[in-house]
Amino acid sequence: MSEGSEAVAICIVTHDSAADLPGCLAAIAALDHRPLEVVVVDCASRDGSLETARAHAPAGLPFQAIGLTRNRGFAGGMNEALAHTRAPWVLTLNADARPEPGYVTRLLDCVRSHLRVRIGAVTGRLIRPTEPRRIDACGMVLTRNWRHLDRGSGEVDRGQFSTPERVFGATGAASLFRREALDDVAVEGEIFDPRFHSFREDAELCFRLRERGWEVVYEPSAICEHRRFNLPERRSAMPAAVNLHSLKNRYLLRAYHQTGGNLLRTFFPALIRDVAALGWVLLRERSSLGAYGWLWRNQREIFQRRRIIQGRRTVPPGMIDRWFGRSGDPL
């Protein structure tokens, strides 16, 4: 760590995460960057997550553990965590993530090496704890049917994605955000949109970052292990509430950010996906039907928020559209 390093706040949102917290907090203690502070927000866990966090607080680091009386999801919990720190950099970290000791240092070194780039977020190489070793995420990519995917997800790690690049977005599981950028893109004081609750809230934030001219960068030398449970292929095993939010948030994302030109360019791929999703819900996942009702009931609020977001954008729509189907761009 070099002298004069900027402070980094590590923000963790938990819900029944007691089994993961000791390993996560031990990995934080081993990080070589200083100064660090840690903020844990627990969303009404029933497994003692809040007490576990306090019992395993990393020695020598400023530490806050805040308990919420209801589960406000990743988005609401992260907003609470962000309200308890003013550090110039924020690492959002899942409890099932284990950053290597140099993770934060290498992300910040990437930023310092590209000062001409207006970097709002930087993410590393997330690896799953499997044999053979598989990639979890090397940034986020958009597809032409309005899916946002973790780049390289599930691929055997053979050294692909080995170059620092601009990417569309960064997963909330282990990414470093510039606080100035987060404050710049906040809408009515909200950095993450609490309407998303859980799932896709990181992609929505990345749309706002890009629409305000902030870059998202991938740094391959920063390694973090991530034991991800919520995957598309595991949808049938995920809690019904998570699947409902996932479906709801698919349309909420587009309601906020899709432009007329993008609608024309992506209409048929997105329509095919929408029809398939509706068929799946009707035939296999009726517990998610409430997503459509929620969107209808809240349409006025949704479009009011869209007007605010679209009114604040400083980047032409074409600069966002170019990311659909694009893996990355050189720095």
Side-chain angles (χ1 to χ4, degrees):
M1 181 191 70
S2 61
E3 292 186 9
S5 293
E6 292 184 277
V8 173
I10 300 178
C11 293
I12 304 170
V13 176
T14 59
H15 178 67
D16 292 341
S17 308
D20 285 319
L21 277 166
C24 179
L25 293 170
I28 290 171
L31 289 169
D32 56 27
H33 179 84
R34 294 295 185 275
L36 281 179
E37 60 179 281
V38 182
V39 183
V40 177
V41 171
D42 182 66
C43 289
S45 291
R46 296 162 295 181
D47 68 345
S49 290
L50 187 62
E51 294 75 16
T52 300
R54 289 169 175 160
H56 292 84
L61 295 182
F63 182 86
Q64 301 177 70
I66 300 116
L68 304 181
T69 57
R70 63 183 179 88
N71 183 2
R72 289 162 52 187
F74 180 89
M78 193 57 69
N79 282 344
E80 185 70 25
L82 292 166
H84 283 79
T85 179
R86 293 305 304 174
W89 291 94
V90 174
L91 179 71
T92 60
L93 194 68
N94 281 5
D96 58 1
R98 308 285 185 272
E100 289 191 355
Y103 190 72
V104 171
T105 301
R106 288 173 177 171
L107 293 179
L108 285 172
D109 284 347
C110 176
V111 174
R112 297 185 189 108
S113 297
H114 300 92
L115 292 177
R116 63 182 176 79
V117 181
R118 191 172 182 247
I119 296 176
V122 57
T123 191
R125 188 179 191 85
L126 276 60
I127 301 297
R128 296 179 191 167
T130 58
E131 286 296 336
R133 192 167 92 156
R134 293 185 180 274
I135 292 172
D136 182 68
C138 294
M140 185 185 294
V141 63
L142 291 176
T143 68
R144 297 185 189 281
N145 62 357
W146 269 85
R147 294 187 75 186
H148 55 90
L149 303 174
D150 294 308
R151 206 169 59 138
S153 177
E155 296 179 14
V156 174
D157 185 6
R158 297 188 174 91
Q160 62 271 53
F161 307 113
S162 59
T163 305
E165 291 181 286
R166 291 178 172 89
V167 290
F168 167 74
T171 174
S175 293
L176 188 68
F177 294 88
R178 191 189 296 269
R179 182 64 194 236
E180 178 189 355
L182 294 178
D183 290 341
D184 179 56
V185 303
V187 178
E188 297 183 328
E190 295 171 340
I191 293 173
F192 285 91
D193 186 348
R195 296 153 195 81
F196 278 68
H197 191 273
S198 305
F199 221 68
R200 309 185 197 277
E201 68 290 307
D202 47 6
E204 197 278 324
L205 174 63
C206 290
F207 265 100
R208 280 185 278 130
L209 286 169
R210 288 211 156 275
E211 288 164 353
R212 292 282 295 171
W214 294 99
E215 290 283 357
V216 183
V217 170
Y218 161 69
E219 172 50 60
S221 70
I223 308 295
C224 179
E225 180 185 285
H226 184 215
R227 183 186 55 77
R228 186 186 298 267
F229 176 74
N230 290 346
L231 292 166
E233 58 266 28
R234 294 179 185 162
R235 187 176 180 95
S236 60
M238 289 193 286
V242 171
N243 287 335
L244 187 149
H245 285 303
S246 175
L247 179 65
K248 164 181 67 70
N249 296 346
R250 164 188 301 186
Y251 299 105
L252 195 52
L253 189 69
R254 281 153 62 184
Y256 289 165
H257 299 288
Q258 189 167 45
T259 62
N262 180 272
L263 174 65
L264 292 174
R265 282 187 286 274
T266 64
F267 180 79
F268 287 108
L271 178 63
I272 291 168
R273 182 178 175 230
D274 291 345
V275 170
L278 178 59
W280 171 265
V281 169
L282 290 172
L283 296 174
R284 301 287 299 276
E285 195 180 282
R286 296 184 68 84
S287 59
S288 292
L289 277 171
Y292 298 103
W294 186 95
L295 292 162
W296 177 258
R297 290 191 304 274
N298 291 277
Q299 58 181 302
R300 181 175 297 179
E301 181 183 359
I302 291 168
F303 286 102
Q304 171 61 24
R305 193 173 179 91
R306 172 189 169 84
R307 283 191 287 273
I308 295 171
I309 291 170
Q310 292 297 317
R312 297 189 72 244
R313 66 183 304 155
T314 60
V315 170
M319 295 296 291
I320 309 299
D321 287 352
R322 64 192 293 274
W323 285 104
F324 285 79
R326 195 184 198 95
S327 176
D329 267 350
L331 273 171

